[in-house]
Amino acid sequence: MMLLVMGRVRSRALGGEPRDHANKYLEQLSNVFTSAGVNVGDVRKALANGAAGLRSYIEAAIQGPEPSDGCGDGQLIIDLFGKEVRVGPALMRSVVEGGVSARDGYKTIVSALDDYVARLGALSMDKEQLMTTLLTIGRLVLSYVPYSTCGVGSGISAYAVMHTAAAYASTEPYGRFRLLGVDILGIQEVIGRIQRTGQAMRQLRGRSVLVNLFQNAVAVRIIRDVNRRVGSDVLSPINVLVNTGGEVVMLIPGLDSNVLDYVINDIESKVNEEFEGRVRVVVAYTGIHDIGNRFGDVLRELVAALGRRRYGIWRRFSVGGKHLCSMCGMPTGKLSVETIGGEELRLCPFCHYSHRVGTASRRLGFMAELRDSGGYGGCEVIELLGIRYAVCPDNARADLGREYIHYGINEFQNPILRASNVGYSVLFLNTRMPISQDTGDLLTLEDIGNYAISVKADANKMGIFKKGAAERGAAAYLFFSTLLTTVFDAYGPWLFTQNLGRYGNNVFIIYSGGDDIFIAGDHRALDYIARVMRRALDFGISVAAGALIHEPQMPMYLVWDETDERLEAVKDVSRDEPLIYLAHTGSAPIILTPSDVLEVVDYVNANTAAPPGEYEGDVIGKSLMFKVGEELTNIYNMLYALYALARQGRCGSRNELVRELVRGVVNYTYLVNRNRDRAYAVINEISSNVEPGRLTNALMPILRIRDCSEYVRSRELTELMKSLAKAIMKIDLYRKISRQT
Ligand SMILES: [Zn+2]
Ligand SMILES: [Zn+2]
């Protein structure tokens, strides 16, 4: 199945029959297939019989008739987010680097495919390792290549078809399938519970990594436990369609429910025991379906089953420990004590694991599932659900002889190493945090300045878009998750490492899983999130963000709640436009687009690098700037009040407000005129839009508004508020920064 899709893509660069190319790949891979127990003769026969036998699986994956190939320009058309975007054909790496404009062409795609096949062909490995490695190749090379170049085929990723059709095909002996889902609960809640600021960064960083491993461990355990109980390899990594951001969806053969129940109960209770409910896992599955059944319907059934299961677990579970964890504050019956810098930490199992992983992963290099017990040089070894993982810093050397699966982290360059009996996978993890040049330990927010900015971001309408993808079939659903990984989990770390000078010492990626992001730092945290939001928008994804400027000592759980509230508030303003809730003046929120936020940050950057020359060290200059800021804030508040009145339909006090607004502008003009040259120097630096003459002109159409409800729709009002908001934020952030330097 997978060879056929690869052969099809190869024929686009080299001409000829897809089947012949598939055969060529088969010959190159015959040794590794044989070592994995795959009968090469059978595969050859299946290819010789042509696509006919496999067509039903392709058609199940794309939920429609097999499209023909050989027309169109070979780009992938993405329209999952209500906007059509053309991308590729390109390697995943190119899409991470170049966004929607990435174009590699089929020559590059096919030469990458040929290289990987040649590498893999020289190795030997078991079936689980082989499938893992083949999927890695497919994901990196074929995600942004269309399955077909004609009609609807251009809208479906070749990798997504290859993976999902192979999953359908794997159900063959049973003829029918189920969906099985895993929900990891409590991932975000554990972050919101962190009570202390000291050690918090290490803890948080450890959690991001741990959650990924944990999710992986659950999927792996399901595969292996089911195979053991059935007594044959009915499941493999091919059955895992989605494995990101706390969600696992598997398409599996119509196995007996007794087998599944046994495995699931065992895993669920082991997790709950191990982590005392701090992080919980629920597993549920659907009834048995024909492969022709609509994927969206079956997925809905799965979601309902997970919901019921979650409720059951919630009721069953209660924590009965007598100690309180000093990190998350929850009771625990299994306390571990760690001493760091003379400080004693009493930790529950989950916080303890996070702490250890956070320590090992100052600069994450790779991870590995180990075959044996014992330490692994320079790495932290942890056991999750009986699976032993090594978490290794980037200076650790891989001892491939001891690894079962090697996980490259954000690895595009060289995912397949030259050792046999290892499977090769890639994880995209966004976990960068600044470390001290001297001690090599993680910095804290206090280390980077007298104030901090934290931002919580989340994409709008994801639930709706995801359902829409599911309605189009399993391949579209899988691609949806691949795209989120590309835009967030893979682009995030790339953006960071490309701009180490900007972010390396100032931005903490506290949590990042798919479209959910929580970061902190100085003003450059805003720069980072604004760029991520712009990239997402290129693909049609609108991301909302709530920011908070706060003292670095503020407890993490308070910051978390506050940014979360702002995130919700900004989503109420618009779910179509990406917006950042940046600050609150005391009477009005300041909400800006990513591009406006970048303008503000650029201003702050320029002026902290080189303070305004004329007024360097001049107290009067600075204080004048802040007075300008106060007057502008006053005007902004009044404009917002007008808008808010109109929105609530309570226009009674409008005339009074308008009078105050005019008075505010008069005061501002007076302030500027009194300090003429120096005031204009300040204004020219901040924004010519707030020069009194222009401000008055911008205000005129707003003052002329007769019908109060007009304020809500007035473009002039929105534009003026935006100009003011940018100016206010420039002054405010500059002030905070200049105070600390
Ligand atoms: Zn804890
Ligand atoms: Zn989300």
Side-chain angles (χ1 to χ4, degrees):
M1 187 83 261
M2 297 202 267
L3 292 175
L4 212 57
V5 174
M6 286 157 65
R8 187 178 178 123
V9 171
R10 196 167 193 264
S11 73
R12 283 180 209 155
L14 303 174
E17 281 298 308
R19 195 199 303 170
D20 297 337
H21 292 295
N23 267 314
K24 182 184 177 294
Y25 281 147
L26 177 63
E27 296 319 315
Q28 277 185 286
L29 294 172
S30 63
N31 284 336
V32 69
F33 273 32
T34 306
S35 71
V38 178
N39 187 325
V40 175
D42 289 351
V43 180
R44 203 174 287 133
K45 242 178 273 162
L47 287 176
N49 289 339
L54 301 170
R55 173 171 295 162
S56 61
Y57 302 121
I58 302 255
E59 296 190 334
I62 64 180
Q63 216 166 266
E66 158 96 67
S68 55
D69 207 16
C71 34
D73 56 7
Q75 287 206 281
L76 178 68
I77 302 171
I78 304 169
D79 63 347
L80 294 171
F81 305 99
K83 164 186 168 186
E84 189 179 289
V85 177
R86 286 165 177 270
V87 60
L91 303 171
M92 184 170 170
R93 171 191 182 170
S94 307
V95 176
V96 166
E97 292 176 1
V100 290
S101 59
R103 305 268 184 284
D104 285 328
Y106 282 97
K107 288 240 153 23
T108 307
I109 304 278
V110 167
S111 100
L113 207 50
D114 286 357
D115 281 355
Y116 286 139
V117 168
R119 266 173 177 261
L120 178 57
L123 305 176
S124 56
M125 52 183 69
D126 73 16
K127 190 178 169 198
E128 187 180 329
Q129 293 167 333
L130 174 63
M131 294 309 165
T132 300
T133 311
L134 275 173
L135 291 174
T136 302
I137 295 172
R139 188 152 77 120
L140 295 180
V141 181
L142 299 176
S143 285
Y144 296 94
V145 173
Y147 171 67
S148 116
T149 53
C150 301
V152 292
S154 319
I156 310 169
S157 149
Y159 162 66
V161 172
M162 154 180 156
H163 187 158
T164 48
Y168 277 113
S170 80
T171 67
E172 186 153 80
Y174 294 79
R176 308 174 81 194
F177 79 99
R178 295 180 192 269
L179 288 184
L180 179 146
V182 180
D183 262 357
I184 317 274
L185 307 174
I187 296 176
Q188 297 213 10
E189 288 86 330
V190 290
I191 296 171
R193 265 196 225 117
I194 294 221
Q195 301 202 322
R196 48 177 59 215
T197 46
Q199 302 303 328
M201 287 306 167
R202 183 205 305 258
Q203 177 69 216
L204 289 163
R205 180 186 169 81
R207 279 166 197 238
S208 313
V209 177
L210 188 59
V211 159
N212 276 278
L213 278 183
F214 183 56
Q215 178 166 337
N216 200 66
V218 173
V220 167
R221 272 294 300 267
I222 290 171
I223 291 171
R224 293 183 194 162
D225 291 6
V226 165
N227 288 350
R228 195 173 310 129
R229 271 198 94 69
V230 174
S232 74
D233 287 352
V234 286
L235 296 186
S236 81
I238 282 181
N239 299 99
V240 183
L241 298 188
V242 170
N243 182 5
T244 47
E247 185 197 22
V248 178
V249 175
M250 296 173 71
L251 193 155
I252 62 172
L255 295 162
D256 192 87
S257 60
N258 289 329
V259 172
L260 295 174
D261 287 341
Y262 180 87
V263 169
I264 289 169
N265 286 331
D266 188 45
I267 291 174
E268 281 182 351
S269 58
K270 281 221 170 69
V271 171
N272 287 333
E273 235 170 70
E274 207 160 320
F275 294 125
E276 302 173 300
R278 219 58 90 245
V279 166
R280 300 176 303 281
V281 61
V282 287
V283 188
Y285 57 87
T286 66
I288 297 179
H289 294 268
D290 285 329
I291 64 165
N293 285 14
R294 291 185 63 84
F295 183 78
D297 294 343
V298 186
L299 190 73
R300 246 196 310 280
E301 184 190 333
L302 178 65
V303 170
L306 279 167
R308 285 193 301 274
R309 187 90 184 166
R310 192 178 306 149
Y311 181 63
I313 292 259
W314 186 252
R315 283 198 313 178
R316 272 210 313 272
F317 190 76
S318 71
V319 183
K322 50 185 183 303
H323 307 285
L324 290 184
C325 171
S326 48
M327 192 54 73
C328 69
M330 300 282 282
T332 173
K334 310 180 205 168
L335 206 62
S336 305
V337 180
E338 290 267 343
T339 312
I340 293 134
E343 187 189 13
E344 192 177 81
L345 291 174
R346 304 160 71 78
L347 302 170
C348 74
F350 192 78
C351 292
H352 188 225
Y353 270 135
S354 303
H355 182 82
R356 285 173 52 204
V357 172
T359 307
S361 56
R362 280 169 191 158
R363 283 281 176 270
L364 205 53
F366 64 92
M367 299 202 271
E369 182 190 335
L370 300 179
R371 297 171 170 282
D372 53 23
S373 54
Y376 197 93
C379 310
E380 193 71 29
V381 176
I382 58 163
E383 190 170 320
L384 292 170
L385 293 170
I387 301 172
R388 295 167 42 77
Y389 291 102
V391 180
C392 302
D394 60 3
N395 55 4
R397 269 197 61 229
D399 181 358
L400 293 169
R402 292 185 51 205
E403 296 186 0
Y404 182 69
I405 305 278
H406 182 84
Y407 296 93
I409 306 293
N410 307 327
E411 178 66 70
F412 296 110
Q413 205 72 45
N414 198 13
I416 302 176
L417 305 175
R418 297 188 187 280
S420 282
N421 303 313
V422 185
Y424 295 97
S425 184
V426 175
L427 286 176
F428 294 100
L429 289 180
N430 196 4
T431 63
R432 297 291 300 221
M433 284 193 183
I435 54 174
S436 154
Q437 241 66 57
D438 309 328
T439 63
D441 210 348
L442 286 173
L443 296 181
T444 66
L445 281 178
E446 283 105 300
D447 295 324
I448 62 165
N450 293 330
Y451 80 102
I453 301 182
S454 296
V455 191
K456 194 166 184 284
D458 182 36
N460 290 311
K461 302 201 282 197
M462 273 301 110
I464 297 168
F465 291 135
K466 201 167 168 183
K467 268 190 203 131
E471 291 305 325
R472 298 187 194 188
Y477 191 72
L478 186 151
F479 178 68
F480 182 89
S481 124
T482 306
L483 185 63
L484 288 194
T485 300
T486 310
V487 170
F488 296 104
D489 304 299
Y491 175 67
W494 182 81
L495 175 67
F496 201 108
T497 44
Q498 286 300 302
N499 299 283
L500 276 182
R502 200 182 305 155
Y503 308 128
N505 297 316
N506 315 285
V507 179
F508 298 78
I509 309 294
I510 295 175
Y511 176 81
S512 175
D515 66 308
D516 297 298
I517 303 170
F518 184 54
I519 64 172
D522 63 8
H523 56 290
R524 280 160 281 210
L526 292 172
D527 182 285
Y528 182 84
I529 204 72
R531 285 176 204 279
V532 170
M533 289 168 76
R534 287 216 299 202
R535 168 57 67 89
L537 189 66
D538 288 343
F539 286 88
I541 304 170
S542 125
V543 176
L548 182 72
I549 304 171
H550 59 91
E551 312 251 295
Q553 295 84 3
M554 187 168 173
M556 195 56 68
Y557 66 94
L558 286 180
V559 174
W560 177 266
D561 285 351
E562 199 77 22
T563 50
D564 194 51
E565 256 172 49
R566 290 185 170 187
L567 176 59
E568 289 311 314
V570 82
K571 277 173 178 272
D572 285 344
V573 175
S574 169
R575 282 173 200 266
D576 296 313
E577 195 189 359
L579 292 172
I580 303 173
Y581 190 136
L582 202 50
H584 199 277
T585 64
S587 25
I590 293 185
I591 294 172
L592 290 173
T593 64
S595 300
D596 290 335
V597 167
L598 285 175
E599 185 190 319
V600 170
V601 174
D602 283 346
Y603 170 82
V604 176
N605 271 336
N607 286 293
T608 40
E614 216 177 320
Y615 299 107
E616 195 171 4
D618 179 350
V619 183
I620 302 166
K622 261 188 196 172
S623 74
L624 177 61
M625 186 188 218
F626 303 150
K627 272 188 199 140
V628 166
E630 273 166 28
E631 293 297 344
L632 291 177
T633 304
N634 185 34
I635 298 170
Y636 179 83
N637 286 343
M638 235 77 85
L639 287 168
Y640 180 79
L642 270 181
Y643 168 84
L645 274 191
R647 217 179 165 194
Q648 295 157 6
R650 298 191 293 114
C651 292
S653 52
R654 144 165 107 140
N655 290 342
E656 196 183 319
L657 258 179
V658 169
R659 268 196 300 280
E660 272 181 60
L661 178 60
V662 172
R663 203 176 309 134
V665 175
V666 169
N667 287 346
Y668 172 62
T669 309
Y670 179 67
L671 171 74
V672 172
N673 287 340
R674 207 176 45 194
N675 299 281
R676 197 139 191 100
D677 290 348
R678 293 185 310 133
Y680 272 95
V682 168
I683 287 168
N684 287 340
E685 241 170 55
I686 296 165
S687 160
S688 56
N689 283 335
V690 297
E691 183 267 315
R694 287 182 69 166
L695 190 63
T696 310
N697 284 340
L699 195 63
M700 292 318 282
I702 299 165
L703 294 177
R704 277 197 293 268
I705 289 176
R706 291 279 157 258
D707 176 4
C708 176
S709 66
E710 275 291 307
Y711 293 122
V712 180
R713 289 183 298 274
S714 163
R715 269 198 65 79
E716 286 89 352
L717 181 70
T718 317
E719 284 304 312
L720 181 55
M721 283 182 65
K722 189 167 137 173
S723 299
L724 288 167
K726 281 194 281 186
I728 294 166
M729 286 316 299
K730 283 177 186 174
I731 295 172
D732 187 58
L733 282 178
Y734 172 69
R735 168 190 206 160
K736 292 195 161 89
I737 288 201
S738 60
R739 229 189 236 163
Q740 69 189 33
T741 44

